[in-house]
Amino acid sequence: MHAPRLRPLVCPMLLLITGALGRPGAAAEPVKDVPREQRIVILVSLDGFAHFYFEDPRAHLPTLRRLAREGAVADRGMVCSFPTVTWPNHTTLVTGVPPARHGVLGNSVFDRQTGEPVQLLIDPVFDKAEIVKVPTVYDAAHAAGLKTAGVVWPATRNAKSLDWTVPDMGPQDLFEKYSSPAWLAELRSESLPIDLYGGWVKAKEGGARRDWMFTRATASLLRRHAPNLVLLHLIETDHTQHESGPKGGDALWAVNTADDRLRDLVAAIEENGLRDRTTLIVTADHGFFATDHVIHANVKLRELGLVRVEGTKVTGKDAWSVSQGGAASIYVTDRARAGEIVPRIKQAFQELEGVEAVFEPKDYGKIGQATPDQDRFGADLWVAAREGYSFSGTATGNQVISVTRPNGSHGFLPSHPGMHALFVAWGRGIKPGSRLGEIQNTEVAPTIAHLLGIELSSAEGHALAGMLERP
């Protein structure tokens, strides 16, 4: 803990004037320090909430825009990690490093030993300790004696440094297996329908219900325990845009619903007397593109003689593509022939309709990905689609490119403004009226560490000093 700062005596009128000049839109009061053990940081991820909604006059976002006015906003958005999908980006948000270092390389990866994809989405296989290779900000907080909570936060299964947790596990039995039993009991005592979670996961309309329930669960946690760090993941903005695409009526409903959940969370902070202690950071894991074409990468590999199919059954894989939406990772299983196979695949995909870029391991520093020598799940090639196209994992059929109904996808190169995520910060330690321009998602975890008064030396990003009361 830092030693307390001695404050110089100043004229109250001078303090009033300088405070008003230095903090646009803020009440002219001196910043009150809060002991570390009383500080609260809440990180909310609104899955798929692109920055462009913040600027869209059709988007009804009264709470979010209030938080930005009273706090800070990345007014050109936040650049995410490649591929711009959920599991890698949520892990970057809490580690401050790219996928190449933290080890969560995609929503799914490929195991060359078994010849099969391995799903990381909803954590069906790995505990957090098996897949996340670097310290997280919640690890650091817990080690410093602070209390931590994860609310359906990706890549946290069995995380020992979360004092309260409910995972995004899909089936009800796994959800209960990996949740904190005492917290589930508390939520049931408050009549929260936690036992309906498994059914809501399967229901098309279940995302909004889940977001409502987990926001209420977070409010209960704040009231009962006031943990120092809370990670909350809300999902409906992603679900809706996958189904109907971005920027339309359904998407505008979804972002308004997300704003309603922020309203509920801010009310819980204020009603429980926590506003002076709490910093709220609202962000996302990626943006969205409208798509209506599909690239069947494994059909292309079949044309190259690298995938073999009998009927609908795949009988051979010298190479295999794993879809990441607007990107695909390609793995060569025949390692003895990799030197000959990889260049063939690269050339074929560079010439393919709908492909924006192909990256080989020597280029991976540009995209923050791990090579096969660095990680057993590292791909031999990464392929990025153009806007309007997405990848599938199918190997059957005769078309490499097909037309589909309009929908939405992500995973594309993070340099596209449409992939930039929202970022807003509000509350203790944040200078009101701050405008940050464009930021990087590796800067979120070290900013949280700074606000909590702890160290996260493994992070590559730096705290967002431009918005901090005490840089």
Side-chain angles (χ1 to χ4, degrees), residues 31 96 110 200 213 218 256 289 293 312 351 408 411 448 457:
V31 178
F110 188 81
W200 286 357
M213 179 168 67
T218 302
N256 177 232
F289 278 158
H293 284 72
T312 59
E351 297 171 355
I448 293 171
S457 58

Side-chain angles (χ1 to χ4, degrees), residues 172 192-202 209-210 213:
Q172 185 74 24
L192 270 181
I194 206 76
D195 296 316
L196 298 179
Y197 167 82
W200 286 357
V201 168
K202 300 174 184 177
R209 298 175 186 176
R210 290 167 60 190
M213 179 168 67

Side-chain angles (χ1 to χ4, degrees), residues 290-333:
T291 53
D292 57 9
H293 284 72
V294 179
I295 303 170
H296 305 289
N298 285 316
V299 174
K300 187 62 182 178
L301 294 177
R302 206 179 87 213
E303 286 187 353
L304 296 174
L306 300 172
V307 172
R308 292 169 292 285
V309 173
E310 293 181 5
T312 59
K313 183 179 180 181
V314 177
T315 59
K317 300 173 184 174
D318 296 334
W320 192 254
S321 172
V322 176
S323 170
Q324 312 284 345
S329 46
I330 299 179
Y331 298 76
V332 174
T333 61

Side-chain angles (χ1 to χ4, degrees), residues 105-413:
L105 304 181
N107 277 351
S108 295
V109 292
F110 188 81
D111 189 334
R112 294 181 181 88
Q113 292 182 342
T114 65
E116 297 296 332
V118 180
Q119 183 176 324
L120 303 185
L121 195 73
I122 69 169
D123 296 328
V125 178
F126 295 112
D127 285 350
K128 177 262 184 186
E130 297 175 287
I131 191 66
V132 182
K133 298 180 176 180
V134 298
T136 67
V137 70
Y138 59 85
D139 293 330
H142 192 267
L146 303 180
K147 297 298 183 182
T148 60
V151 188
V152 289
W153 194 268
T156 59
R157 193 180 90 171
N158 238 0
K160 304 303 183 185
S161 53
L162 289 174
D163 297 290
W164 296 269
T165 185
V166 286
D168 190 1
M169 290 296 300
Q172 185 74 24
D173 59 340
L174 291 179
F175 171 75
E176 299 211 17
K177 177 180 178 180
Y178 291 103
S179 292
S180 303
W183 192 20
L184 289 184
E186 287 181 358
L187 297 177
R188 289 184 176 115
S189 75
E190 297 183 9
S191 299
L192 270 181
I194 206 76
D195 296 316
L196 298 179
Y197 167 82
W200 286 357
V201 168
K202 300 174 184 177
K204 185 177 180 180
E205 303 82 7
R209 298 175 186 176
R210 290 167 60 190
D211 288 352
W212 168 85
M213 179 168 67
F214 289 124
T215 303
R216 293 288 298 274
T218 302
S220 170
L221 190 67
L222 292 172
R223 184 179 71 254
R224 287 174 176 263
H225 304 288
N228 303 100
L229 176 61
V230 181
L231 311 173
L232 172 60
H233 177 209
L234 302 180
I235 62 169
E236 183 56 28
T237 41
D238 182 79
H239 284 191
T240 299
Q241 291 177 96
H242 274 299
E243 179 69 20
S244 304
K247 300 184 180 180
D250 284 354
L252 294 173
W253 166 83
V255 297
N256 177 232
T257 299
D259 192 82
D260 289 345
R261 301 292 72 79
L262 294 176
R263 175 202 64 201
D264 298 343
L265 191 58
V266 171
I269 292 167
E270 295 178 335
E271 290 168 5
N272 289 291
L274 301 175
R275 180 168 180 176
D276 291 342
R277 299 166 51 184
T278 301
T279 311
L280 177 60
I281 297 175
V282 183
T283 187
D285 49 352
H286 52 75
F288 253 91
F289 278 158
T291 53
D292 57 9
H293 284 72
V294 179
I295 303 170
H296 305 289
N298 285 316
V299 174
K300 187 62 182 178
L301 294 177
R302 206 179 87 213
E303 286 187 353
L304 296 174
L306 300 172
V307 172
R308 292 169 292 285
V309 173
E310 293 181 5
T312 59
K313 183 179 180 181
V314 177
T315 59
K317 300 173 184 174
D318 296 334
W320 192 254
S321 172
V322 176
S323 170
Q324 312 284 345
S329 46
I330 299 179
Y331 298 76
V332 174
T333 61
D334 187 344
R335 302 312 294 167
R337 295 174 56 212
E340 171 257 319
I341 291 175
V342 170
R344 287 178 55 209
I345 298 174
K346 180 181 178 182
Q347 181 175 352
F349 277 82
Q350 284 177 324
E351 297 171 355
L352 191 61
E353 173 192 339
V355 168
E356 179 170 350
V358 181
F359 300 92
E360 54 187 314
K362 68 180 181 64
D363 304 316
Y364 284 5
K366 301 174 184 176
I367 58 173
Q369 273 293 327
T371 69
D373 293 334
Q374 294 170 328
D375 192 296
R376 71 185 179 107
F377 295 132
D380 290 282
L381 291 169
W382 276 93
V383 186
R386 297 185 185 278
E387 183 175 354
Y389 292 78
S390 64
F391 289 95
S392 85
T394 185
T396 59
N398 297 318
Q399 290 183 306
V400 175
I401 309 290
S402 65
V403 179
T404 186
R405 69 171 183 82
N407 53 55
S409 193
H410 51 88
F412 303 85
L413 288 173

Side-chain angles (χ1 to χ4, degrees), residues 34-166:
V34 176
R36 185 171 70 176
E37 63 273 13
Q38 295 181 16
R39 299 176 189 179
I40 299 171
V41 176
I42 305 171
L43 175 62
V44 181
S45 168
L46 305 176
D47 201 308
F49 201 120
H51 170 70
F52 55 68
Y53 287 114
F54 185 80
E55 300 175 329
D56 189 337
R58 302 172 304 154
H60 184 58
L61 305 171
T63 303
L64 191 59
R65 290 179 176 134
R66 170 201 160 186
L67 298 178
R69 286 194 305 272
E70 297 178 1
V73 60
D75 45 332
R76 296 204 307 275
M78 183 181 75
V79 179
C80 300
S81 300
F82 180 79
T84 47
V85 294
T86 299
W87 249 240
N89 277 277
H90 278 84
T91 309
T92 295
L93 286 172
V94 294
T95 60
V97 302
R101 282 193 57 201
H102 63 57
V104 183
L105 304 181
N107 277 351
S108 295
V109 292
F110 188 81
D111 189 334
R112 294 181 181 88
Q113 292 182 342
T114 65
E116 297 296 332
V118 180
Q119 183 176 324
L120 303 185
L121 195 73
I122 69 169
D123 296 328
V125 178
F126 295 112
D127 285 350
K128 177 262 184 186
E130 297 175 287
I131 191 66
V132 182
K133 298 180 176 180
V134 298
T136 67
V137 70
Y138 59 85
D139 293 330
H142 192 267
L146 303 180
K147 297 298 183 182
T148 60
V151 188
V152 289
W153 194 268
T156 59
R157 193 180 90 171
N158 238 0
K160 304 303 183 185
S161 53
L162 289 174
D163 297 290
W164 296 269
T165 185
V166 286

